[in-house]
Amino acid sequence: MFQLSKPPRSLSRSGSLSRTGAGPALVLVLALATVTSCGGQQNTAPQTSGSAAPTATSAPATAPASAPSGSGTSGSASPGASGTARADELCGPGSAINFDSSQFQASPNVDNKWFPLKPGMQYTTTGEVKSAEGTTKRTVIHSVTGLTKVIDGVKTQVLWDRDYADGELVESELAFFAQTEGGDVWLFGEYPEEFENGKFIGAPATFIHSLDKAQAGIAMKADPQTNTPSYVQAHAPAVDFLDCGQVIQQNEHVCVATGCYDDVLVIDERNPLEPAGGHQRKFYSAGTGLVKVTAVGGTEQETLDLVKIEQLTDAKLKEVNQEALKLDKHAYQVSKDVYGKTAQAEVATGTSGGQ
């Protein structure tokens, strides 16, 4: 699941299932999976990988910032194992973006076990955002559409997220993902329309790979492991967005409303451009995707849990495709200089659960 949803920007500039920092949402993307009963797992002790991943160095511009330590708290800037990060190593040594369009599938089939995107699947997450102003209840509905969209020569799969704060729609977003032949899932951009008091107010955080210096990044690695460098999840300087991810734990056991999950992977996400924003911890279940989000530090603390997994009927998927196409069409009027330079989204499948 994905990185893919974020808290309303009026509350926080976090991205992808509420990412820390300004920018898009790592969209929550999930697929049906075997879920074990919480009751049956009560006497099972969670398994951990031991120590968390080592501290890494971040370089949002020229000065590096620290990556999360095992405790999950931010520290002062310090050099990484190979010294100060180069300008292209935005999340620390070893994090340079290595994008190669020839490595992607001719037709998107995102089946990474940690980040599966199966057309016709819909996931609902709920939680809250706590800040000095109070607590806001959130509900995010993540729909895997049957649409594709070509971005910089790569055919991507389209997700549609609807984000509600205290029951009111505050954001409706399209996000674009593609998987390499090796299994890495990349985020190619997002178009998030914002609403206030029920009225559309714009889409200022729009970014698309290869336009306005925006760069696609890795939403999920094919084989994520602890004790590996941080990586860039996406970078869009025009909207001050940079997300860095680092695997910090493996083999965790997590229970949420939809059930209990074993072999859970924990990824720490942060935006070095906004150190006051804190970090987010995202919990991914093998074969399912994102099941939980927690916050570490920051002025606004967000938590989200997966509460519903649904496979849409063909009729419902058709409705989702139509609504996503409307959003795609509207984007050409709203974001002429960026989104307007992309190819229109197309229906690849109208059958729920397959292409």
Side-chain angles (χ1 to χ4, degrees), residues 3 12 19 31 41 47 60 88 106 113 124 143 150 178 194 196 215 218 226 228 234 246 262 281 283 306 329 355:
Q3 260 174 223
S12 170
R19 265 186 248 214
Q41 296 286 346
Q47 299 176 342
D88 58 346
K113 71 177 183 179
T124 301
S143 301
V150 176
E194 299 177 20
E196 190 173 295
Q215 295 175 283
I218 298 175
T226 55
T228 55
Q246 185 173 36
D262 292 315
R281 297 285 165 83
F283 298 73
L306 177 65
K329 183 177 180 180
Q355 286 184 288

Side-chain angles (χ1 to χ4, degrees), residues 127-186:
E128 59 185 21
V129 179
K130 293 183 178 180
S131 68
E133 289 71 34
T135 300
T136 301
K137 298 294 184 181
R138 289 192 66 216
T139 297
V140 186
I141 301 173
H142 316 271
S143 301
V144 185
T145 76
L147 307 183
T148 60
K149 187 179 184 73
V150 176
I151 296 176
D152 193 26
V154 176
K155 185 175 287 188
T156 69
Q157 191 166 347
V158 182
L159 271 75
W160 176 37
D161 281 2
R162 285 163 288 172
D163 194 339
Y164 298 84
D166 290 336
E168 180 180 294
L169 180 68
V170 292
E171 187 171 276
S172 180
E173 174 185 271
L174 299 179
F176 313 98
F177 296 88
Q179 184 172 299
T180 65
E181 294 292 350
D184 292 333
V185 181
W186 287 64

Side-chain angles (χ1 to χ4, degrees), residues 38-52:
C38 284
Q41 296 286 346
Q42 287 178 351
N43 297 323
T44 303
Q47 299 176 342
T48 64
S49 60
S51 60

Side-chain angles (χ1 to χ4, degrees), residues 1 19 59 66 88 91 114 172 276 286 297 307 332 343:
M1 144 75 208
R19 265 186 248 214
S66 66
D88 58 346
C91 297
W114 303 106
S172 180
V307 298
Y332 288 94

Side-chain angles (χ1 to χ4, degrees), residues 193-216:
E193 290 196 345
E194 299 177 20
F195 297 83
E196 190 173 295
N197 298 321
K199 295 183 179 180
F200 170 70
I201 59 173
T206 299
F207 81 94
I208 298 292
H209 167 72
S210 78
L211 300 174
D212 272 1
K213 299 182 180 180
Q215 295 175 283

Side-chain angles (χ1 to χ4, degrees), residues 3-6 15-19 23-27 173 187 190:
Q3 260 174 223
L4 326 257
S5 128
K6 51 194 163 287
S16 283
L17 202 284
S18 63
R19 265 186 248 214
L26 223 200
V27 170
E173 174 185 271
L187 171 65
E190 295 178 350

